Amino acid sequence: MIQGAIFDADGTLLDSMGMWDTVGTRYLASLGIPARPGLREILFPMSLSQCAAYLQEAYHLSQSCLAIEAGINETIRTFYCQEVVAKPGAKAFLEALRARGVAITLATATDRAVITAGLERTGLLPLLDGLFTCGDLGVDKRTPEIFQTAQAAMGTPLEATWVFEDAVHAARTAYGAGYRVAGVADPYSDQAALRQTCHLYLPDLTDFPGFFAQAARP
């Protein structure tokens, strides 16, 4: 049985992973500069400061690295405030959980102000009992602290707490910490690895009765 649910945001509740793939291109476009092919692959492993330094040098930008970082952050903020949408079935799924008395929290690696804007835009924020970010806690999802903090806030037993994730590394962390884990399909994650990692694999969030029937099993 499920008593508590901990949701990831990007790629799980929000259809937002594509933005992270194209944020460099979006930022350059805001300056009227077309990105060269392969920019995503170059920026993918970099931190924000490294991305800013690369763009400054590779595209001969007159802005300082700090200004470029601020511009990238503004690009991200604009997306969450004006463009992001919920994944199909997300709102109805959360509503169905609440109707059954399930506590719901969010555990995300995205900045609190940004993710709050996206949740407000999509109407999901009022359905949450709590919101926890890696930045606030000083952790990442390769360790289980953020899930444990969310669980403690809900006061739910470990065996009755489900974690919903699209990212394989985060799903593995939750699984290893003893949570029940539902993998939520997203085109930007490794679906085969997600299926192998999780107790339950959801092609999308539209079939709540099917999920609940399986979650109710011992």
Side-chain angles (χ1 to χ4, degrees), residues 11-79:
T12 301
L13 291 178
L14 300 180
D15 189 5
S16 52
M17 293 306 295
M19 186 281 301
W20 292 100
D21 252 20
T22 60
V23 66
T25 300
R26 285 170 172 262
Y27 170 67
L28 290 173
S30 73
L31 302 177
I33 301 172
R36 295 189 286 271
L39 181 62
R40 173 197 174 277
E41 288 73 20
I42 293 170
L43 298 183
F44 180 76
M46 296 183 181
S47 67
L48 178 58
S49 59
Q50 290 170 332
C51 288
Y54 174 82
L55 292 173
Q56 183 191 53
E57 180 178 357
Y59 289 86
H60 309 291
L61 303 182
S62 59
Q63 294 89 341
S64 69
C65 286
L66 286 177
I68 295 169
E69 287 186 39
I72 293 172
N73 279 327
E74 180 60 20
T75 299
I76 294 168
R77 189 195 69 80
T78 298
F79 171 81

Coordinates of all heavy atoms in Angstrom, one line a residue, residues 11-79:
G11 N 11.1 15.9 -16.0 CA 11.0 14.6 -16.6 C 10.1 13.6 -16.0 O 9.8 12.6 -16.6
T12 N 9.6 14.0 -14.8 CA 8.6 13.1 -14.1 C 7.3 13.8 -14.1 O 6.3 13.2 -14.6 CB 9.1 12.8 -12.7 OG1 10.4 12.2 -12.7 CG2 8.2 11.9 -11.9
L13 N 7.2 14.9 -13.4 CA 5.9 15.7 -13.5 C 5.9 16.8 -14.5 O 4.8 17.1 -15.1 CB 5.7 16.4 -12.1 CG 5.4 15.4 -10.9 CD1 5.3 16.3 -9.6 CD2 4.1 14.6 -11.1
L14 N 7.0 17.3 -14.8 CA 7.1 18.4 -15.8 C 7.8 17.9 -17.1 O 8.8 17.2 -17.0 CB 7.9 19.6 -15.2 CG 7.3 20.2 -14.0 CD1 8.2 21.4 -13.5 CD2 5.8 20.7 -14.2
D15 N 7.3 18.4 -18.2 CA 7.9 18.1 -19.5 C 9.0 19.1 -19.8 O 8.7 20.1 -20.6 CB 6.8 18.0 -20.6 CG 7.4 17.5 -21.9 OD1 8.5 17.1 -22.0 OD2 6.6 17.5 -22.9
S16 N 10.1 19.0 -19.2 CA 11.1 20.1 -19.2 C 12.5 19.6 -19.5 O 13.4 20.5 -19.7 CB 11.1 20.7 -17.8 OG 11.3 19.7 -16.8
M17 N 12.7 18.4 -19.7 CA 14.1 17.9 -20.0 C 14.7 18.5 -21.3 O 15.9 18.7 -21.4 CB 14.2 16.4 -19.9 CG 13.9 15.8 -18.5 SD 15.0 16.5 -17.2 CE 16.6 15.9 -17.7
G18 N 13.8 18.7 -22.3 CA 14.3 19.2 -23.5 C 14.9 20.6 -23.4 O 15.8 20.9 -24.1
M19 N 14.3 21.4 -22.5 CA 14.9 22.7 -22.3 C 16.3 22.6 -21.8 O 17.2 23.4 -22.3 CB 14.0 23.5 -21.2 CG 14.4 24.9 -21.0 SD 15.9 25.2 -20.0 CE 15.4 24.4 -18.5
W20 N 16.6 21.7 -20.9 CA 18.0 21.6 -20.4 C 18.9 21.1 -21.5 O 20.1 21.5 -21.5 CB 18.0 20.6 -19.2 CG 17.3 21.1 -18.0 CD1 16.0 20.8 -17.6 CD2 17.8 22.1 -17.1 NE1 15.7 21.5 -16.5 CE2 16.8 22.3 -16.1 CE3 19.0 22.8 -16.9 CZ2 16.9 23.2 -15.1 CZ3 19.1 23.7 -15.9 CH2 18.1 23.9 -15.0
D21 N 18.4 20.4 -22.4 CA 19.2 20.0 -23.6 C 19.6 21.1 -24.5 O 20.6 21.1 -25.2 CB 18.5 18.9 -24.4 CG 19.1 17.5 -24.2 OD1 19.8 17.3 -23.2 OD2 18.8 16.7 -25.0
T22 N 18.7 22.2 -24.5 CA 18.9 23.3 -25.5 C 19.1 24.6 -24.8 O 19.0 25.6 -25.5 CB 17.6 23.4 -26.3 OG1 16.5 23.6 -25.5 CG2 17.3 22.1 -27.1
V23 N 19.4 24.6 -23.5 CA 19.6 25.9 -22.9 C 20.7 26.8 -23.5 O 20.5 28.0 -23.6 CB 19.7 25.7 -21.3 CG1 21.1 25.1 -21.0 CG2 19.6 27.1 -20.6
G24 N 21.8 26.2 -23.9 CA 22.8 27.0 -24.5 C 22.4 27.6 -25.8 O 22.7 28.8 -26.1
T25 N 21.7 26.8 -26.6 CA 21.2 27.3 -27.9 C 20.1 28.4 -27.6 O 20.1 29.4 -28.3 CB 20.5 26.1 -28.6 OG1 21.5 25.2 -28.9 CG2 19.9 26.6 -30.0
R26 N 19.3 28.2 -26.6 CA 18.3 29.2 -26.3 C 19.0 30.5 -25.9 O 18.5 31.6 -26.2 CB 17.4 28.7 -25.2 CG 16.4 27.7 -25.6 CD 15.7 27.1 -24.4 NE 14.6 26.2 -24.8 CZ 13.3 26.6 -24.7 NH1 13.0 27.8 -24.4 NH2 12.3 25.7 -25.1
Y27 N 20.0 30.4 -25.0 CA 20.6 31.6 -24.6 C 21.3 32.4 -25.7 O 21.1 33.6 -25.8 CB 21.7 31.3 -23.5 CG 22.6 32.5 -23.2 CD1 22.1 33.6 -22.5 CD2 23.9 32.5 -23.6 CE1 22.9 34.7 -22.2 CE2 24.7 33.6 -23.3 CZ 24.2 34.7 -22.6 OH 25.0 35.8 -22.3
L28 N 22.0 31.7 -26.6 CA 22.6 32.3 -27.7 C 21.6 33.0 -28.6 O 21.8 34.1 -29.1 CB 23.5 31.3 -28.5 CG 24.7 30.8 -27.8 CD1 25.4 29.7 -28.6 CD2 25.7 32.0 -27.6
A29 N 20.5 32.3 -28.8 CA 19.4 32.9 -29.6 C 18.9 34.2 -29.1 O 18.5 35.1 -29.8 CB 18.3 31.8 -29.8
S30 N 18.9 34.3 -27.7 CA 18.4 35.5 -27.1 C 19.4 36.7 -27.4 O 19.0 37.8 -27.3 CB 18.3 35.4 -25.6 OG 19.6 35.3 -25.0
L31 N 20.6 36.3 -27.8 CA 21.6 37.4 -28.2 C 21.6 37.5 -29.7 O 22.4 38.3 -30.2 CB 23.0 37.0 -27.7 CG 23.1 36.8 -26.2 CD1 24.6 36.3 -25.9 CD2 22.8 38.0 -25.4
G32 N 20.8 36.8 -30.4 CA 20.8 36.8 -31.9 C 21.9 36.1 -32.5 O 22.3 36.3 -33.7
I33 N 22.4 35.1 -31.8 CA 23.6 34.3 -32.3 C 23.1 32.9 -32.5 O 22.7 32.2 -31.6 CB 24.7 34.3 -31.3 CG1 25.2 35.8 -31.0 CG2 25.9 33.5 -31.8 CD1 26.2 35.9 -29.9
P34 N 23.3 32.3 -33.7 CA 22.9 30.9 -34.0 C 24.0 30.0 -33.4 O 25.2 30.2 -33.5 CB 22.9 30.8 -35.5 CG 23.8 31.9 -36.0 CD 23.7 33.0 -35.0
A35 N 23.5 28.9 -32.8 CA 24.5 27.9 -32.2 C 25.0 27.0 -33.3 O 24.3 26.7 -34.2 CB 23.8 27.1 -31.1
R36 N 26.2 26.6 -33.1 CA 26.8 25.7 -34.1 C 26.4 24.3 -33.7 O 26.1 24.0 -32.6 CB 28.3 25.8 -34.1 CG 28.8 27.2 -34.6 CD 30.3 27.2 -34.8 NE 31.0 27.3 -33.5 CZ 31.4 28.4 -32.9 NH1 31.0 29.6 -33.4 NH2 32.0 28.3 -31.8
P37 N 26.4 23.4 -34.7 CA 26.0 22.0 -34.4 C 26.9 21.4 -33.3 O 28.1 21.7 -33.3 CB 26.2 21.3 -35.8 CG 26.1 22.3 -36.8 CD 26.7 23.6 -36.1
G38 N 26.3 20.5 -32.5 CA 27.1 19.8 -31.5 C 27.2 20.6 -30.1 O 27.9 20.1 -29.2
L39 N 26.5 21.7 -30.0 CA 26.7 22.5 -28.8 C 26.2 21.7 -27.6 O 26.8 21.7 -26.5 CB 26.0 23.8 -28.9 CG 26.1 24.8 -27.7 CD1 27.5 25.1 -27.4 CD2 25.2 26.0 -27.8
R40 N 25.1 21.0 -27.7 CA 24.5 20.3 -26.6 C 25.5 19.3 -26.0 O 25.7 19.2 -24.8 CB 23.3 19.5 -27.0 CG 22.7 18.6 -26.0 CD 21.8 17.5 -26.5 NE 21.4 16.6 -25.5 CZ 22.1 15.5 -25.2 NH1 23.3 15.3 -25.8 NH2 21.7 14.6 -24.3
E41 N 26.2 18.5 -26.9 CA 27.1 17.5 -26.5 C 28.3 18.1 -25.8 O 28.9 17.6 -24.9 CB 27.6 16.7 -27.7 CG 26.6 15.7 -28.3 CD 25.5 16.5 -29.0 OE1 25.7 17.6 -29.5 OE2 24.4 15.9 -29.2
I42 N 28.7 19.3 -26.2 CA 29.9 20.0 -25.6 C 29.5 20.5 -24.2 O 30.3 20.3 -23.3 CB 30.3 21.2 -26.5 CG1 30.9 20.7 -27.8 CG2 31.3 22.1 -25.7 CD1 31.1 21.8 -28.8
L43 N 28.3 21.1 -24.1 CA 27.9 21.6 -22.8 C 27.4 20.6 -21.7 O 27.5 20.9 -20.5 CB 26.8 22.7 -23.0 CG 27.2 23.9 -23.8 CD1 26.0 24.9 -23.9 CD2 28.5 24.6 -23.3
F44 N 27.0 19.5 -22.2 CA 26.3 18.5 -21.3 C 27.1 18.2 -20.1 O 26.5 18.2 -19.0 CB 26.0 17.2 -22.1 CG 25.3 16.2 -21.3 CD1 23.9 16.3 -21.0 CD2 26.0 15.1 -20.8 CE1 23.3 15.4 -20.2 CE2 25.3 14.2 -20.0 CZ 24.0 14.3 -19.7
P45 N 28.4 17.9 -20.1 CA 29.1 17.5 -18.9 C 29.6 18.7 -18.1 O 30.2 18.5 -17.0 CB 30.3 16.7 -19.4 CG 30.6 17.3 -20.7 CD 29.3 17.8 -21.3
M46 N 29.3 19.9 -18.5 CA 29.9 21.1 -17.8 C 29.0 21.7 -16.7 O 27.8 21.5 -16.8 CB 30.1 22.2 -18.9 CG 31.2 21.9 -19.9 SD 31.4 23.3 -21.0 CE 32.6 22.7 -22.2
S47 N 29.6 22.3 -15.8 CA 28.9 23.1 -14.8 C 28.5 24.4 -15.4 O 28.9 24.7 -16.5 CB 29.8 23.4 -13.6 OG 30.8 24.3 -13.9
L48 N 27.6 25.1 -14.7 CA 27.1 26.4 -15.3 C 28.3 27.4 -15.5 O 28.3 28.0 -16.6 CB 26.1 27.1 -14.3 CG 25.6 28.4 -14.7 CD1 24.9 28.4 -16.1 CD2 24.6 29.0 -13.6
S49 N 29.2 27.5 -14.6 CA 30.4 28.4 -14.8 C 31.2 27.9 -16.0 O 31.8 28.8 -16.7 CB 31.2 28.4 -13.5 OG 31.7 27.2 -13.1
Q50 N 31.4 26.6 -16.1 CA 32.2 26.1 -17.3 C 31.5 26.4 -18.6 O 32.1 26.8 -19.6 CB 32.4 24.6 -17.1 CG 33.4 24.3 -16.0 CD 33.4 22.8 -15.7 OE1 32.4 22.0 -15.9 NE2 34.6 22.3 -15.3
C51 N 30.1 26.3 -18.6 CA 29.3 26.6 -19.8 C 29.5 28.0 -20.2 O 29.7 28.4 -21.3 CB 27.9 26.3 -19.5 SG 27.4 24.6 -19.4
A52 N 29.5 28.9 -19.2 CA 29.6 30.4 -19.4 C 31.0 30.7 -20.0 O 31.1 31.4 -21.0 CB 29.4 31.1 -18.1
A53 N 32.0 30.1 -19.4 CA 33.4 30.3 -19.9 C 33.5 29.8 -21.4 O 34.2 30.5 -22.2 CB 34.4 29.6 -19.0
Y54 N 32.9 28.6 -21.6 CA 33.0 28.1 -23.0 C 32.3 29.0 -24.0 O 32.9 29.3 -25.1 CB 32.5 26.7 -23.1 CG 32.4 26.1 -24.5 CD1 33.5 25.6 -25.1 CD2 31.2 26.3 -25.2 CE1 33.5 25.2 -26.4 CE2 31.2 25.8 -26.6 CZ 32.3 25.3 -27.1 OH 32.3 24.9 -28.4
L55 N 31.1 29.4 -23.7 CA 30.4 30.2 -24.6 C 31.1 31.6 -24.8 O 31.1 32.1 -26.0 CB 28.9 30.5 -24.1 CG 28.0 29.2 -24.0 CD1 26.7 29.6 -23.3 CD2 27.7 28.7 -25.4
Q56 N 31.6 32.1 -23.8 CA 32.3 33.4 -23.9 C 33.5 33.3 -24.9 O 33.6 34.1 -25.8 CB 32.9 33.9 -22.6 CG 33.6 35.2 -22.6 CD 34.3 35.5 -21.3 OE1 35.1 34.7 -20.9 NE2 34.0 36.7 -20.8
E57 N 34.2 32.2 -24.8 CA 35.4 32.0 -25.7 C 35.0 31.6 -27.1 O 35.5 32.1 -28.1 CB 36.4 31.0 -25.0 CG 37.6 30.8 -25.9 CD 38.6 29.8 -25.2 OE1 38.4 29.4 -24.1 OE2 39.6 29.5 -25.9
A58 N 34.2 30.5 -27.1 CA 33.9 30.0 -28.4 C 33.1 30.9 -29.3 O 33.2 30.8 -30.6 CB 33.1 28.6 -28.2
Y59 N 32.2 31.7 -28.7 CA 31.4 32.6 -29.5 C 31.8 34.1 -29.4 O 31.1 35.0 -29.8 CB 29.9 32.4 -29.1 CG 29.4 31.1 -29.5 CD1 29.5 30.0 -28.8 CD2 28.7 31.0 -30.7 CE1 29.1 28.7 -29.2 CE2 28.2 29.8 -31.2 CZ 28.4 28.6 -30.4 OH 27.9 27.4 -30.8
H60 N 33.0 34.3 -28.8 CA 33.5 35.7 -28.7 C 32.6 36.7 -28.1 O 32.3 37.8 -28.6 CB 34.0 36.1 -30.1 CG 34.9 35.2 -30.8 ND1 36.2 34.9 -30.3 CD2 34.7 34.4 -31.9 CE1 36.7 34.0 -31.1 NE2 35.8 33.6 -32.1
L61 N 31.9 36.3 -27.0 CA 30.9 37.1 -26.4 C 31.6 38.2 -25.6 O 32.6 38.0 -24.9 CB 30.0 36.3 -25.4 CG 29.3 35.1 -26.1 CD1 28.4 34.4 -25.0 CD2 28.5 35.6 -27.3
S62 N 31.0 39.4 -25.6 CA 31.6 40.6 -24.9 C 31.2 40.5 -23.4 O 31.8 41.2 -22.6 CB 31.2 41.9 -25.5 OG 29.7 42.0 -25.5
Q63 N 30.2 39.8 -23.1 CA 29.7 39.7 -21.7 C 30.7 39.0 -20.8 O 31.4 38.1 -21.3 CB 28.3 39.0 -21.6 CG 27.2 39.7 -22.3 CD 27.1 39.4 -23.8 OE1 28.0 38.8 -24.4 NE2 25.9 39.6 -24.3
S64 N 30.7 39.4 -19.5 CA 31.6 38.6 -18.6 C 31.0 37.3 -18.3 O 29.8 37.0 -18.6 CB 31.6 39.4 -17.3 OG 30.4 39.4 -16.6
C65 N 31.8 36.4 -17.7 CA 31.3 35.0 -17.4 C 30.1 35.1 -16.5 O 29.1 34.4 -16.6 CB 32.4 34.2 -16.9 SG 33.5 33.6 -18.1
L66 N 30.2 36.0 -15.5 CA 29.1 36.2 -14.6 C 27.8 36.6 -15.2 O 26.7 36.2 -14.9 CB 29.5 37.2 -13.4 CG 30.5 36.6 -12.4 CD1 30.8 37.7 -11.4 CD2 29.9 35.4 -11.7
A67 N 28.0 37.5 -16.2 CA 26.8 38.0 -16.9 C 26.2 36.9 -17.8 O 25.0 36.8 -17.9 CB 27.2 39.2 -17.8
I68 N 27.1 36.1 -18.3 CA 26.6 35.0 -19.1 C 25.8 34.0 -18.3 O 24.7 33.5 -18.6 CB 27.7 34.3 -19.9 CG1 28.3 35.2 -20.9 CG2 27.3 33.0 -20.6 CD1 29.7 34.7 -21.5
E69 N 26.4 33.7 -17.1 CA 25.7 32.8 -16.1 C 24.3 33.4 -15.8 O 23.3 32.6 -15.8 CB 26.5 32.6 -14.9 CG 27.7 31.8 -15.0 CD 28.4 31.5 -13.7 OE1 27.7 31.4 -12.6 OE2 29.7 31.6 -13.6
A70 N 24.3 34.7 -15.5 CA 23.0 35.3 -15.2 C 22.0 35.2 -16.4 O 20.8 35.0 -16.2 CB 23.2 36.8 -14.8
G71 N 22.5 35.3 -17.6 CA 21.7 35.2 -18.8 C 21.1 33.8 -19.0 O 20.0 33.6 -19.4
I72 N 22.0 32.8 -18.7 CA 21.5 31.4 -18.8 C 20.4 31.2 -17.8 O 19.4 30.5 -18.1 CB 22.7 30.5 -18.7 CG1 23.7 30.6 -19.8 CG2 22.2 29.0 -18.5 CD1 25.0 29.8 -19.7
N73 N 20.7 31.7 -16.6 CA 19.7 31.5 -15.5 C 18.4 32.2 -15.9 O 17.3 31.6 -15.6 CB 20.2 32.0 -14.2 CG 21.1 31.0 -13.5 OD1 20.9 29.8 -13.6 ND2 22.1 31.5 -12.8
E74 N 18.4 33.3 -16.5 CA 17.2 34.0 -16.9 C 16.5 33.2 -18.0 O 15.3 33.2 -18.1 CB 17.6 35.4 -17.4 CG 16.4 36.2 -17.9 CD 15.3 36.4 -16.8 OE1 15.6 36.3 -15.6 OE2 14.1 36.7 -17.1
T75 N 17.3 32.6 -18.9 CA 16.7 31.8 -20.0 C 15.9 30.6 -19.3 O 14.8 30.3 -19.8 CB 17.8 31.2 -20.9 OG1 18.5 32.3 -21.5 CG2 17.2 30.3 -21.9
I76 N 16.5 30.0 -18.3 CA 15.9 28.9 -17.6 C 14.6 29.4 -16.9 O 13.5 28.8 -17.0 CB 16.8 28.3 -16.6 CG1 18.0 27.6 -17.4 CG2 16.1 27.3 -15.7 CD1 19.1 27.2 -16.5
R77 N 14.7 30.5 -16.2 CA 13.6 31.1 -15.5 C 12.4 31.4 -16.4 O 11.2 31.1 -16.1 CB 14.0 32.3 -14.7 CG 12.9 32.8 -13.7 CD 13.2 34.2 -13.3 NE 13.1 35.2 -14.4 CZ 11.9 35.6 -14.8 NH1 10.8 35.2 -14.2 NH2 11.8 36.5 -15.8
T78 N 12.7 32.0 -17.5 CA 11.7 32.3 -18.5 C 10.9 31.1 -19.0 O 9.7 31.1 -19.1 CB 12.3 33.1 -19.7 OG1 12.9 34.3 -19.2 CG2 11.3 33.4 -20.7
F79 N 11.7 30.0 -19.2 CA 11.0 28.8 -19.7 C 10.0 28.3 -18.6 O 8.9 27.9 -19.0 CB 12.1 27.7 -20.0 CG 11.5 26.3 -20.2 CD1 11.0 26.0 -21.4 CD2 11.5 25.4 -19.2 CE1 10.4 24.8 -21.7 CE2 10.9 24.2 -19.4 CZ 10.4 23.8 -20.6

